[in-house]
Amino acid sequence: MSVVTTLIPPQAPPPAPPRAYTLSRFFGSIALGIWLALAVGIFLTVVGGWDPDKFAKYGPSYLSGLGVTLLLVAISITLGALVSLPLALARMSNSKVLSWLAYGYIYFFRGTPLLTQLFLVYYGLGSFSAELKALGLWGFFRDAWNCALLTFTLNTAAYQAEILRGAIESVPRGQHEGAASLGLPKRITFLKIVLPQALIVALRPYGNEIILMIKGSAIVAIVTVFDLMGETRRAFSRTFDYQTYLWAALLYLMIVEFLRNLWAWLEARLTRHLKR
């Protein structure tokens, strides 16, 4: 009996069946064409109406406003992070009083618009100027920058507290049990075992919060803080050129894109030990 030793050579996979040109693809192609036409039209309009004199005149003001925006967000994010840790611990506390107080704080600042909170601090507390002067606090609250910083800090602290609470609760119970079996105190367990793991889990939500704060910071221009949007409004009031807002949009876009890539690199760097 003969044995066949010749193998069949590998064959190419069968071609994929052609996709049917459905109605949804038709409307999708139309929408894509409209977006491309708008993009080309905006680009040609900007190039045709580009005024280098205006850019040279107001460019330094934009850079100054950009510095104000970044400083405001950086300080508020840092102070909010300091407030968020005790707030998250109070939220997880066995004490009903502490837990409900933290819950009420977080519920209010996450459930109301940031603009409303800014108005409550800037205009609302301004109506109590006599009482604030008696307490020696009017010098702080009369400055729009300080009101914006306080509002942003209180707001981001609420969001960061929820991010941190969720991250802490996501750490496996076995980590606590393993530390207890080694005789480690609860404080050391939290600071050196639980919290570092929780911060890695919270890394991406923290990045999203910073980006949201960057974009949300534009509202401070309403209360006369000359951040990036404040300088944009001033430039537009003097030129009535829509390109002043386009410059601001591009600057915001560059900031967000830089932070997005920086955070992606940071996350990949800090979590490289988790990848196989």
Side-chain angles (χ1 to χ4, degrees):
M1 185 178 70
S2 63
V3 178
V4 178
T5 57
T6 304
L7 300 178
I8 299 175
Q11 304 292 318
R19 293 178 57 189
Y21 198 78
T22 61
L23 189 62
S24 59
R25 289 187 64 191
F26 172 74
F27 285 110
S29 301
I30 293 178
L32 180 60
I34 292 174
W35 277 111
L36 289 176
L38 288 174
V40 172
I42 292 174
F43 176 76
L44 293 178
T45 303
V46 171
V47 172
W50 177 260
D51 190 346
D53 294 333
K54 290 180 183 177
F55 189 79
K57 181 178 180 180
Y58 295 105
S61 300
Y62 274 73
L63 293 179
S64 175
L66 178 61
V68 172
T69 295
L70 295 178
L71 183 63
L72 177 64
V73 172
I75 296 177
S76 61
I77 286 290
T78 303
L79 295 178
L82 296 177
V83 176
S84 67
L85 179 57
L87 197 60
L89 294 178
R91 182 77 174 84
M92 297 183 296
S93 173
N94 293 326
S95 171
K96 290 185 178 181
V97 176
L98 289 177
S99 180
W100 277 101
L101 286 175
Y103 174 78
Y105 174 93
I106 293 171
Y107 182 81
F108 175 79
F109 281 99
R110 294 182 72 210
T112 57
L114 181 58
L115 181 60
T116 302
Q117 299 165 20
L118 180 60
F119 282 175
L120 284 174
V121 173
Y122 184 68
Y123 295 113
L125 294 180
S127 61
F128 298 97
S129 58
E131 291 79 1
L132 292 174
K133 287 178 182 178
L135 296 174
L137 298 176
W138 179 240
F140 178 87
F141 287 101
R142 68 183 297 179
D143 192 333
W145 160 269
N146 294 333
C147 292
L149 178 61
L150 176 62
T151 304
F152 278 33
T153 299
L154 296 176
N155 179 272
T156 190
Y159 281 93
Q160 291 188 52
E162 280 298 278
I163 292 172
L164 191 57
R165 181 182 69 87
I168 291 173
E169 292 181 346
S170 71
V171 176
R173 183 68 181 174
Q175 300 291 325
H176 299 268
E177 296 172 350
S181 67
L182 295 174
L184 295 178
K186 290 185 177 181
R187 183 176 63 87
I188 300 299
T189 300
F190 177 77
L191 292 177
K192 295 193 174 183
I193 297 177
V194 176
L195 189 59
Q197 296 181 66
L199 290 177
I200 290 179
V201 174
L203 192 60
R204 182 167 295 182
Y206 271 131
N208 294 336
E209 173 62 13
I210 294 174
I211 290 175
L212 289 174
M213 289 294 293
I214 287 286
K215 294 187 288 187
S217 66
I219 66 172
V220 300
I222 300 176
V223 293
T224 69
V225 175
F226 287 98
D227 67 329
L228 177 56
M229 184 54 64
E231 294 292 350
T232 302
R233 293 179 64 192
R234 180 156 60 178
F236 180 79
S237 67
R238 296 176 179 177
T239 62
F240 295 101
D241 189 347
Y242 77 95
Q243 290 191 45
T244 54
Y245 284 103
L246 183 60
W247 301 341
L250 292 176
L251 284 174
Y252 279 115
L253 184 62
M254 286 190 292
I255 297 170
V256 169
E257 189 64 18
F258 172 77
L259 286 174
R260 188 183 67 81
N261 286 279
L262 175 63
W263 222 254
W265 174 85
L266 187 63
E267 184 180 11
R269 179 75 177 173
L270 294 177
T271 60
R272 62 187 185 277
H273 63 285
L274 302 175
K275 298 177 181 178
R276 296 179 180 178

Short mmCIF file of all heavy atoms in Angstrom, two decimals, residues 49-94:
data_model
loop_
_atom_site.label_atom_id
_atom_site.label_comp_id
_atom_site.label_asym_id
_atom_site.label_seq_id
_atom_site.Cartn_x
_atom_site.Cartn_y
_atom_site.Cartn_z
N GLY A 49 -7.65 85.50 4.14
CA GLY A 49 -7.84 86.65 5.02
C GLY A 49 -6.79 86.78 6.09
O GLY A 49 -6.98 87.54 7.05
N TRP A 50 -5.69 86.08 5.96
CA TRP A 50 -4.64 86.14 6.99
C TRP A 50 -4.03 87.53 7.04
O TRP A 50 -3.62 88.09 6.03
CB TRP A 50 -3.58 85.09 6.69
CG TRP A 50 -2.43 85.12 7.65
CD1 TRP A 50 -1.21 85.68 7.45
CD2 TRP A 50 -2.40 84.57 8.96
NE1 TRP A 50 -0.42 85.51 8.54
CE2 TRP A 50 -1.12 84.82 9.49
CE3 TRP A 50 -3.34 83.88 9.73
CZ2 TRP A 50 -0.75 84.41 10.76
CZ3 TRP A 50 -2.97 83.47 10.99
CH2 TRP A 50 -1.70 83.73 11.51
N ASP A 51 -3.99 88.07 8.25
CA ASP A 51 -3.43 89.41 8.46
C ASP A 51 -2.26 89.29 9.43
O ASP A 51 -2.45 89.21 10.64
CB ASP A 51 -4.49 90.35 9.03
CG ASP A 51 -4.02 91.80 9.04
OD1 ASP A 51 -2.82 92.03 8.86
OD2 ASP A 51 -4.88 92.69 9.23
N PRO A 52 -1.03 89.28 8.92
CA PRO A 52 0.13 89.10 9.82
C PRO A 52 0.29 90.26 10.80
O PRO A 52 0.84 90.08 11.88
CB PRO A 52 1.32 89.01 8.85
CG PRO A 52 0.84 89.64 7.58
CD PRO A 52 -0.62 89.38 7.50
N ASP A 53 -0.19 91.46 10.44
CA ASP A 53 -0.06 92.58 11.37
C ASP A 53 -0.89 92.36 12.63
O ASP A 53 -0.45 92.65 13.75
CB ASP A 53 -0.49 93.88 10.68
CG ASP A 53 0.44 94.26 9.54
OD1 ASP A 53 1.63 93.86 9.60
OD2 ASP A 53 0.00 94.92 8.59
N LYS A 54 -2.11 91.86 12.46
CA LYS A 54 -2.95 91.57 13.63
C LYS A 54 -2.34 90.47 14.48
O LYS A 54 -2.35 90.54 15.72
CB LYS A 54 -4.35 91.13 13.17
CG LYS A 54 -5.18 92.24 12.56
CD LYS A 54 -6.55 91.70 12.14
CE LYS A 54 -7.37 92.79 11.46
NZ LYS A 54 -8.68 92.27 10.98
N PHE A 55 -1.79 89.46 13.82
CA PHE A 55 -1.20 88.36 14.57
C PHE A 55 0.01 88.85 15.36
O PHE A 55 0.21 88.46 16.52
CB PHE A 55 -0.79 87.25 13.61
CG PHE A 55 -0.35 85.99 14.30
CD1 PHE A 55 -1.29 85.11 14.80
CD2 PHE A 55 0.99 85.69 14.44
CE1 PHE A 55 -0.89 83.94 15.45
CE2 PHE A 55 1.39 84.53 15.09
CZ PHE A 55 0.45 83.66 15.59
N ALA A 56 0.81 89.72 14.74
CA ALA A 56 1.98 90.25 15.45
C ALA A 56 1.57 91.17 16.59
O ALA A 56 2.23 91.23 17.63
CB ALA A 56 2.87 91.01 14.46
N LYS A 57 0.45 91.88 16.42
CA LYS A 57 0.00 92.82 17.45
C LYS A 57 -0.60 92.11 18.64
O LYS A 57 -0.33 92.48 19.80
CB LYS A 57 -1.01 93.79 16.84
CG LYS A 57 -1.51 94.84 17.82
CD LYS A 57 -2.48 95.80 17.14
CE LYS A 57 -2.98 96.85 18.13
NZ LYS A 57 -3.92 97.80 17.49
N TYR A 58 -1.43 91.10 18.39
CA TYR A 58 -2.15 90.45 19.48
C TYR A 58 -1.54 89.12 19.91
O TYR A 58 -2.00 88.52 20.89
CB TYR A 58 -3.61 90.22 19.08
CG TYR A 58 -4.36 91.51 18.87
CD1 TYR A 58 -4.67 91.96 17.58
CD2 TYR A 58 -4.76 92.28 19.95
CE1 TYR A 58 -5.35 93.14 17.39
CE2 TYR A 58 -5.44 93.47 19.76
CZ TYR A 58 -5.73 93.89 18.48
OH TYR A 58 -6.40 95.08 18.29
N GLY A 59 -0.52 88.66 19.19
CA GLY A 59 0.12 87.40 19.56
C GLY A 59 0.67 87.39 20.98
O GLY A 59 0.41 86.44 21.75
N PRO A 60 1.41 88.43 21.41
CA PRO A 60 1.90 88.44 22.80
C PRO A 60 0.78 88.40 23.83
O PRO A 60 0.93 87.77 24.89
CB PRO A 60 2.68 89.76 22.87
CG PRO A 60 3.11 90.03 21.46
CD PRO A 60 1.99 89.53 20.61
N SER A 61 -0.35 89.04 23.54
CA SER A 61 -1.48 88.99 24.47
C SER A 61 -2.03 87.58 24.58
O SER A 61 -2.42 87.13 25.66
CB SER A 61 -2.58 89.94 24.00
OG SER A 61 -2.12 91.28 23.95
N TYR A 62 -2.06 86.87 23.45
CA TYR A 62 -2.53 85.48 23.48
C TYR A 62 -1.60 84.61 24.33
O TYR A 62 -2.06 83.76 25.10
CB TYR A 62 -2.60 84.92 22.06
CG TYR A 62 -3.89 85.22 21.36
CD1 TYR A 62 -4.18 86.50 20.90
CD2 TYR A 62 -4.85 84.24 21.15
CE1 TYR A 62 -5.36 86.79 20.25
CE2 TYR A 62 -6.04 84.51 20.51
CZ TYR A 62 -6.30 85.79 20.07
OH TYR A 62 -7.48 86.07 19.44
N LEU A 63 -0.30 84.83 24.20
CA LEU A 63 0.64 84.06 25.00
C LEU A 63 0.49 84.38 26.49
O LEU A 63 0.59 83.50 27.35
CB LEU A 63 2.07 84.34 24.53
CG LEU A 63 2.43 83.85 23.12
CD1 LEU A 63 3.85 84.21 22.78
CD2 LEU A 63 2.21 82.34 23.01
N SER A 64 0.25 85.66 26.79
CA SER A 64 0.01 86.05 28.18
C SER A 64 -1.25 85.38 28.72
O SER A 64 -1.26 84.85 29.84
CB SER A 64 -0.10 87.57 28.28
OG SER A 64 -0.45 87.96 29.59
N GLY A 65 -2.32 85.40 27.94
CA GLY A 65 -3.55 84.74 28.36
C GLY A 65 -3.39 83.24 28.49
O GLY A 65 -3.96 82.62 29.40
N LEU A 66 -2.58 82.65 27.62
CA LEU A 66 -2.31 81.21 27.71
C LEU A 66 -1.60 80.89 29.02
O LEU A 66 -1.91 79.89 29.68
CB LEU A 66 -1.47 80.77 26.52
CG LEU A 66 -1.05 79.30 26.48
CD1 LEU A 66 -2.27 78.40 26.45
CD2 LEU A 66 -0.15 79.03 25.28
N GLY A 67 -0.66 81.74 29.42
CA GLY A 67 0.02 81.54 30.69
C GLY A 67 -0.93 81.62 31.87
O GLY A 67 -0.83 80.83 32.82
N VAL A 68 -1.86 82.57 31.81
CA VAL A 68 -2.86 82.69 32.88
C VAL A 68 -3.73 81.44 32.95
O VAL A 68 -4.02 80.91 34.04
CB VAL A 68 -3.73 83.95 32.66
CG1 VAL A 68 -4.89 83.99 33.65
CG2 VAL A 68 -2.88 85.21 32.80
N THR A 69 -4.15 80.94 31.80
CA THR A 69 -4.98 79.73 31.77
C THR A 69 -4.24 78.54 32.36
O THR A 69 -4.79 77.81 33.21
CB THR A 69 -5.39 79.42 30.32
OG1 THR A 69 -6.24 80.45 29.83
CG2 THR A 69 -6.13 78.09 30.23
N LEU A 70 -3.01 78.32 31.93
CA LEU A 70 -2.25 77.17 32.43
C LEU A 70 -1.96 77.29 33.91
O LEU A 70 -2.03 76.30 34.65
CB LEU A 70 -0.94 77.04 31.63
CG LEU A 70 -1.09 76.71 30.14
CD1 LEU A 70 0.27 76.66 29.47
CD2 LEU A 70 -1.82 75.39 29.95
N LEU A 71 -1.65 78.51 34.38
CA LEU A 71 -1.38 78.69 35.80
C LEU A 71 -2.64 78.45 36.64
O LEU A 71 -2.58 77.79 37.68
CB LEU A 71 -0.86 80.11 36.04
CG LEU A 71 -0.47 80.45 37.48
CD1 LEU A 71 0.68 79.57 37.94
CD2 LEU A 71 -0.09 81.93 37.61
N LEU A 72 -3.76 78.96 36.18
CA LEU A 72 -5.02 78.77 36.90
C LEU A 72 -5.37 77.30 37.01
O LEU A 72 -5.74 76.80 38.09
CB LEU A 72 -6.13 79.55 36.20
CG LEU A 72 -7.54 79.41 36.78
CD1 LEU A 72 -7.60 79.98 38.17
CD2 LEU A 72 -8.56 80.10 35.87
N VAL A 73 -5.27 76.58 35.91
CA VAL A 73 -5.62 75.16 35.92
C VAL A 73 -4.62 74.35 36.75
O VAL A 73 -5.01 73.47 37.52
CB VAL A 73 -5.69 74.63 34.48
CG1 VAL A 73 -5.87 73.11 34.46
CG2 VAL A 73 -6.83 75.29 33.72
N ALA A 74 -3.33 74.67 36.63
CA ALA A 74 -2.31 73.91 37.37
C ALA A 74 -2.50 74.07 38.87
O ALA A 74 -2.45 73.08 39.63
CB ALA A 74 -0.92 74.37 36.95
N ILE A 75 -2.72 75.29 39.33
CA ILE A 75 -2.89 75.51 40.78
C ILE A 75 -4.17 74.87 41.28
O ILE A 75 -4.19 74.23 42.33
CB ILE A 75 -2.86 77.02 41.10
CG1 ILE A 75 -1.50 77.62 40.75
CG2 ILE A 75 -3.15 77.26 42.58
CD1 ILE A 75 -1.41 79.11 40.97
N SER A 76 -5.27 75.04 40.54
CA SER A 76 -6.54 74.48 40.98
C SER A 76 -6.51 72.96 40.99
O SER A 76 -7.07 72.33 41.91
CB SER A 76 -7.68 75.00 40.10
OG SER A 76 -7.50 74.61 38.75
N ILE A 77 -5.87 72.35 40.01
CA ILE A 77 -5.77 70.88 39.98
C ILE A 77 -4.94 70.39 41.16
O ILE A 77 -5.30 69.40 41.82
CB ILE A 77 -5.13 70.42 38.65
CG1 ILE A 77 -6.13 70.55 37.50
CG2 ILE A 77 -4.65 68.98 38.75
CD1 ILE A 77 -7.27 69.57 37.53
N THR A 78 -3.84 71.09 41.47
CA THR A 78 -2.99 70.69 42.60
C THR A 78 -3.71 70.82 43.93
O THR A 78 -3.72 69.90 44.75
CB THR A 78 -1.71 71.52 42.61
OG1 THR A 78 -1.03 71.38 41.35
CG2 THR A 78 -0.78 71.06 43.72
N LEU A 79 -4.34 71.99 44.14
CA LEU A 79 -5.08 72.19 45.39
C LEU A 79 -6.27 71.24 45.48
O LEU A 79 -6.59 70.72 46.56
CB LEU A 79 -5.55 73.64 45.49
CG LEU A 79 -4.45 74.70 45.60
CD1 LEU A 79 -5.06 76.10 45.64
CD2 LEU A 79 -3.59 74.47 46.84
N GLY A 80 -6.93 71.00 44.34
CA GLY A 80 -8.05 70.07 44.34
C GLY A 80 -7.62 68.66 44.69
O GLY A 80 -8.35 67.92 45.35
N ALA A 81 -6.41 68.27 44.25
CA ALA A 81 -5.90 66.93 44.58
C ALA A 81 -5.67 66.81 46.08
O ALA A 81 -5.93 65.76 46.69
CB ALA A 81 -4.63 66.66 43.81
N LEU A 82 -5.18 67.89 46.71
CA LEU A 82 -4.95 67.86 48.16
C LEU A 82 -6.27 67.75 48.92
O LEU A 82 -6.34 67.09 49.95
CB LEU A 82 -4.19 69.12 48.59
CG LEU A 82 -2.77 69.28 48.02
CD1 LEU A 82 -2.17 70.60 48.47
CD2 LEU A 82 -1.88 68.12 48.45
N VAL A 83 -7.30 68.41 48.41
CA VAL A 83 -8.61 68.36 49.08
C VAL A 83 -9.32 67.04 48.81
O VAL A 83 -10.06 66.54 49.65
CB VAL A 83 -9.48 69.55 48.62
CG1 VAL A 83 -10.88 69.47 49.21
CG2 VAL A 83 -8.82 70.88 49.00
N SER A 84 -9.06 66.45 47.65
CA SER A 84 -9.83 65.27 47.25
C SER A 84 -9.52 64.04 48.10
O SER A 84 -10.40 63.19 48.30
CB SER A 84 -9.55 64.96 45.77
OG SER A 84 -8.21 64.54 45.59
N LEU A 85 -8.28 63.92 48.59
CA LEU A 85 -7.94 62.73 49.37
C LEU A 85 -8.73 62.64 50.66
O LEU A 85 -9.40 61.62 50.91
CB LEU A 85 -6.43 62.68 49.63
CG LEU A 85 -5.93 61.48 50.45
CD1 LEU A 85 -6.33 60.18 49.77
CD2 LEU A 85 -4.42 61.54 50.65
N PRO A 86 -8.71 63.67 51.54
CA PRO A 86 -9.58 63.56 52.73
C PRO A 86 -11.06 63.49 52.39
O PRO A 86 -11.84 62.87 53.12
CB PRO A 86 -9.24 64.83 53.53
CG PRO A 86 -8.62 65.77 52.56
CD PRO A 86 -7.92 64.91 51.56
N LEU A 87 -11.44 64.11 51.28
CA LEU A 87 -12.85 64.06 50.87
C LEU A 87 -13.24 62.64 50.47
O LEU A 87 -14.33 62.15 50.83
CB LEU A 87 -13.06 65.02 49.70
CG LEU A 87 -14.49 65.43 49.36
CD1 LEU A 87 -15.14 66.12 50.55
CD2 LEU A 87 -14.48 66.37 48.16
N ALA A 88 -12.37 61.96 49.74
CA ALA A 88 -12.65 60.57 49.35
C ALA A 88 -12.67 59.65 50.56
O ALA A 88 -13.51 58.75 50.66
CB ALA A 88 -11.60 60.09 48.34
N LEU A 89 -11.74 59.89 51.51
CA LEU A 89 -11.73 59.07 52.72
C LEU A 89 -12.99 59.30 53.56
O LEU A 89 -13.54 58.36 54.14
CB LEU A 89 -10.47 59.40 53.55
CG LEU A 89 -9.14 59.02 52.90
CD1 LEU A 89 -7.99 59.44 53.79
CD2 LEU A 89 -9.08 57.53 52.60
N ALA A 90 -13.44 60.56 53.60
CA ALA A 90 -14.69 60.84 54.32
C ALA A 90 -15.87 60.18 53.63
O ALA A 90 -16.80 59.69 54.28
CB ALA A 90 -14.90 62.35 54.41
N ARG A 91 -15.84 60.15 52.31
CA ARG A 91 -16.92 59.51 51.54
C ARG A 91 -16.98 58.01 51.84
O ARG A 91 -18.06 57.42 51.83
CB ARG A 91 -16.66 59.76 50.06
CG ARG A 91 -17.71 59.19 49.14
CD ARG A 91 -18.96 60.04 49.11
NE ARG A 91 -19.88 59.54 48.11
CZ ARG A 91 -20.74 58.54 48.31
NH1 ARG A 91 -20.83 57.96 49.50
NH2 ARG A 91 -21.54 58.15 47.34
N MET A 92 -15.83 57.38 52.09
CA MET A 92 -15.79 55.95 52.37
C MET A 92 -15.83 55.64 53.86
O MET A 92 -15.74 54.48 54.25
CB MET A 92 -14.52 55.34 51.76
CG MET A 92 -14.45 55.43 50.25
SD MET A 92 -12.98 54.61 49.58
CE MET A 92 -11.68 55.62 50.28
N SER A 93 -15.93 56.67 54.68
CA SER A 93 -15.88 56.49 56.13
C SER A 93 -17.09 55.73 56.64
O SER A 93 -18.19 55.78 56.06
CB SER A 93 -15.78 57.86 56.81
OG SER A 93 -15.89 57.73 58.21
N ASN A 94 -16.89 55.03 57.75
CA ASN A 94 -18.01 54.34 58.40
C ASN A 94 -18.92 55.31 59.15
O ASN A 94 -20.04 54.94 59.52
CB ASN A 94 -17.47 53.28 59.37
CG ASN A 94 -16.77 52.14 58.65
OD1 ASN A 94 -17.16 51.77 57.54
ND2 ASN A 94 -15.74 51.59 59.26
#
